[in-house]
Amino acid sequence: MTPDELSRALVGVVAGLVEAGELTVPVPTAAPVERPRNPEHGDYASSIALQLAKPAGRPPREIAELVAAQLRAQTGVQRVDVAGPGFLNITLAADALGEVARAVVAAGPEYARGDALAGLHWNLEFVSANPTGPVTLASARWAAVGDALARILQAAGAEVTTEYYFNDHGAQIDRFARSLVAVAQGQPVPEDGYHGAYVEDVAQAVLAKEPDALAADDPQEIFRTLGVGMMFDAVRSSLAAFGVDFDVWFHEDDLHSSGRVGQAVDRLRAAGHVYDFEGAVWLRTTDFGDDKDRPLIRSTGQPAYFSGDVAYYLDKRERGADRVVIILGADHAGYVSRMKAMVAAFGDDPEVNLELIIGQLVNLIRDGQPVKMSKRAGSVLTLDDLVEAIGVDAARYALVRSSTDSTLEVDLDLWARKASENPVFYVQYAAVRAASIARGAAEMGLAMPASNDDVDVSLLTHPREQELLLALAELPRVVAAAAELREPHRLARYLEELLARSAQRFFDECRVLPRGDEEVTPTTYARLLLWQAVRIALVTGLGLLGVSAPERM
RNA sequence: GCGCCCGUAGCUCAGCGGAUAGAGCAGGUGCCUUCUAAGCACUUGGUCGCAGGUUCGAGUCCUGCCGGGCGCACCA
């Protein structure tokens, strides 16, 4: 019996009591089912009686007793106690709990899937850095989080399109091009230009391709086109090495050249939210809660950066996105109100159609000291540097395992270690042990029964087995919660603190394969089935985070 | 000054209104002729920043303070 099934059973019990006239309350759509912290409080606890007390106008313990009496009659429920102010402490029968292992193996990778977000099309944009330099450490966090979130939303039933928005239009690009030209001419980079060592590399690469570039009519245009193209390739290649690809690589320039920026502005003007002032065109975002109005077209006639955002949002909606999600760094927190206002100006609901995830920054620690970053000197730490230092799996896991609301410290020494104190190693090692046992069984010629239905899962009564089964039962709920809250770190924490930990403890206390002349028993098969379930859950869970689960290490 | 985020064990961090607040690291102590000890167990360590409020119940929600991070352009 899974927690979801138990929740439905509780709702059914309440409905029955209402129908029988023993309880007068609106029947809830779902009943809370939690894993109690204290194991003495059973496998699961429900506060349903506490929540019904008020609408029923009766003491919670009295309601709890009514529900408990009915719940005890359910198959799979071994014991129900009323505790404290009115909690129901529920213990499942061993066979009902053991069925979880069979269910996981039967479902395979589908076990983690749900349908909570089915029917909605999500557009998820992340990273979206200017093509004026390598992918930075901060962007790396959004690559890891965004990619994991996309996988998790899909696992929750959503249709997801991932997008990268190249800001390849406007002043920053011009500065980049001027920097390339300056370097190519052997002159110092302009004050407002780009100073990293890579600028030299790109400039040389442009010259290698177009040796006469500097003598052309418009050298800056050649350096702009070729240089930006090279940065596109560099960004895509860094992300690909990180295991991140996008469904759509969107170019800001397309919005301008195709006229969609103009169309979006016209549409807002027709809706009455645009005005002209001192030669510039403004969106009256203050009508929708912004601090000040924002320019769409500058008095120079050049479109302001914001106009691209406006047209891009409209474009996403017109391409079918019900929910537009954008992951941004904390340095863009100031954009939230104008973006929300723009959504409202289009007549959409800013609380529904646009979601901005503002994530905090990343700091690196090496030898116990912060790794210093100086953008000015160009010594910005990059995604490539991080991958080189600790590898893709550790990098992705480290970047995804904390709430995006918290600034993140990544201790390079810790994440490079091949030991259990390294969280990603710990989780992967649990999966390796599962694989190792399956290999051992195969080498012994130990074949599972023809059907998993013939495995007696009621034999899984050891405390470590029960703990592990309860952990396995949580996976679908954890994935659903991570999707609904847009918090992939919940899945990582579940994997290391609950699933892998339970598996390691199970490994330590419960021998599976027979030694020497020991007999193969029904328990052997039950445990092999349990390990199969664990491996599936770990591989699936790590997969949703974009982290591999090796067969051996 | 205004806005957003954070403040939980010595350190790094979990904890979508539930019972006696958790994990890893660091400190202390045990367990390897046994499926990978690349592991496990035990143990030390908390005024959940402070003060009010909401309610059956607050680390969690609200208000105000204190401390830290990031923003506050006709830049992108």
Side-chain angles (χ1 to χ4, degrees):
Chain A
M1 177 179 271
T2 67
D4 278 344
E5 288 164 353
L6 181 57
S7 177
R8 283 194 288 275
L10 279 162
V11 171
V13 164
V14 171
L17 288 168
V18 169
E19 200 168 326
E22 295 189 56
L23 198 59
T24 311
V25 289
V27 178
T29 53
V33 170
E34 295 171 358
R35 294 282 316 280
R37 287 194 174 118
N38 186 338
E40 289 171 17
H41 293 156
D43 297 333
Y44 295 104
S46 180
S47 57
I48 182 85
L50 292 160
Q51 296 183 357
L52 292 179
K54 198 165 217 174
R58 292 166 66 178
R61 283 194 67 102
E62 194 176 308
I63 297 168
E65 291 294 353
L66 282 173
V67 176
Q70 298 297 313
L71 197 61
R72 287 185 190 109
Q74 300 269 333
T75 4
V77 175
Q78 187 185 68
R79 175 174 178 166
V80 183
D81 295 317
V82 175
F87 289 103
L88 291 171
N89 290 340
I90 302 156
T91 303
L92 299 185
D95 58 339
L97 195 51
E99 286 301 330
V100 171
R102 204 185 333 261
V104 174
V105 173
E110 296 297 303
Y111 175 65
R113 295 191 63 88
D115 58 2
L117 301 181
L120 285 177
H121 183 172
W122 297 67
N123 185 293
L124 183 54
E125 178 197 334
F126 50 99
V127 185
S128 295
N130 292 350
T132 53
V135 181
T136 63
L137 192 58
S139 290
R141 186 176 191 184
W142 315 136
V145 169
D147 189 62
L149 184 55
R151 294 166 194 244
I152 288 168
L153 290 173
Q154 276 162 351
E159 184 191 340
V160 178
T161 300
T162 56
E163 302 209 4
Y164 187 115
Y165 182 60
F166 276 116
N167 307 141
D168 54 356
H169 183 97
Q172 297 291 352
I173 293 293
D174 293 340
R175 283 178 201 168
F176 180 60
R178 280 199 295 274
S179 302
L180 291 178
V181 172
V183 167
Q185 290 171 331
Q187 291 172 3
V189 171
E191 187 62 22
D192 63 351
Y194 289 82
H195 297 264
Y198 67 93
V199 174
E200 173 80 25
D201 298 339
V202 174
Q204 291 306 328
V206 171
L207 283 177
K209 208 166 177 180
E210 288 283 340
D212 301 326
L214 285 171
D217 291 343
D218 187 355
Q220 188 177 318
E221 177 57 23
I222 295 176
F223 278 89
R224 191 187 68 79
T225 307
L226 292 179
V228 167
M230 286 171 189
M231 291 318 305
F232 284 158
D233 293 343
V235 166
R236 292 183 65 143
S237 132
S238 292
L239 288 168
F242 197 49
V244 175
D245 194 8
F246 290 82
D247 298 318
V248 176
W249 297 85
F250 202 97
H251 293 256
E252 182 190 2
D253 217 26
D254 288 349
L255 288 170
H256 296 277
S257 59
S258 68
R260 270 172 286 175
V261 168
Q263 289 163 18
V265 172
D266 290 347
R267 185 145 156 187
L268 290 170
R269 190 186 286 275
H273 302 304
V274 169
Y275 64 94
D276 302 294
F277 180 67
E278 292 184 344
V281 178
W282 298 75
L283 179 64
R284 204 185 304 276
T285 52
T286 50
D287 277 356
F288 304 100
D290 197 6
D291 296 335
K292 49 185 125 177
D293 291 338
R294 307 292 172 175
L296 290 167
I297 310 289
R298 292 185 266 164
S299 52
T300 61
Q302 292 295 310
Y305 177 78
F306 183 46
S307 66
D309 281 338
V310 169
Y312 190 28
Y313 171 77
L314 187 61
D315 187 71
K316 286 173 179 171
R317 291 282 284 138
E318 287 176 343
R319 279 187 281 129
D322 302 301
R323 303 290 159 85
V324 174
V325 181
I326 309 175
I327 303 180
L328 295 169
D331 50 342
H332 287 74
Y335 285 37
V336 174
S337 49
R338 85 190 61 171
M339 292 290 282
K340 293 278 186 185
M342 171 264 287
V343 169
F346 276 124
D348 282 348
D349 184 342
E351 296 306 309
V352 172
N353 299 109
L354 176 69
E355 190 171 332
L356 296 170
I357 297 174
I358 303 298
Q360 303 301 308
L361 306 177
V362 184
N363 297 311
L364 288 189
I365 306 290
R366 196 196 302 264
D367 302 327
Q369 298 297 317
V371 181
K372 291 195 184 75
M373 287 181 261
S374 163
K375 203 161 193 174
R376 178 122 185 80
S379 66
V380 177
L381 290 161
T382 66
L383 169 59
D384 293 343
D385 295 338
L386 181 65
V387 168
E388 191 187 333
I390 62 178
V392 170
D393 282 340
R396 292 192 64 137
Y397 195 89
L399 292 172
V400 87
R401 83 186 272 271
S402 287
S403 162
T404 52
D405 283 342
S406 300
T407 12
L408 183 61
E409 286 199 11
V410 176
D411 183 335
L412 295 174
D413 305 311
L414 172 69
W415 290 97
R417 231 164 277 165
K418 303 282 184 223
S420 64
E421 59 209 81
N422 175 347
V424 71
F425 186 91
Y426 183 74
V427 177
Q428 288 180 317
Y429 186 47
V432 165
R433 282 180 150 175
S436 167
I437 286 171
R439 254 195 326 270
E443 282 164 12
M444 295 173 80
L446 213 163
M448 293 289 287
S451 165
N452 283 336
D453 294 341
D454 297 329
V455 176
D456 186 358
V457 293
S458 73
L459 294 170
L460 299 171
T461 54
H462 190 281
R464 295 287 167 271
E465 292 166 339
Q466 303 241 312
E467 171 186 272
L468 183 50
L469 288 162
L470 287 164
L472 282 169
E474 290 300 300
L475 177 59
R477 302 208 297 174
V478 172
V479 171
E484 300 227 12
L485 297 166
R486 263 65 87 194
E487 292 183 350
H489 76 274
R490 286 170 182 273
L491 177 55
R493 295 299 175 149
Y494 158 79
L495 290 177
E496 67 185 74
E497 291 172 3
L498 207 57
L499 188 56
R501 181 175 162 82
S502 304
Q504 302 277 25
R505 282 157 58 91
F506 171 53
F507 180 94
D508 195 59
E509 284 199 41
C510 300
R511 175 80 195 188
V512 178
L513 300 176
R515 284 169 285 202
D517 53 359
E518 284 177 358
E519 294 284 313
V520 174
T521 66
T523 298
T524 309
Y525 294 113
R527 288 178 173 173
L528 280 173
L529 187 74
L530 181 51
W531 271 116
Q532 279 184 26
V534 168
R535 174 142 177 84
I536 288 166
L538 286 170
V539 170
T540 309
L542 284 171
L544 289 174
L545 300 177
V547 176
S548 74
E551 293 276 326
R552 54 180 93 217
M553 298 195 295

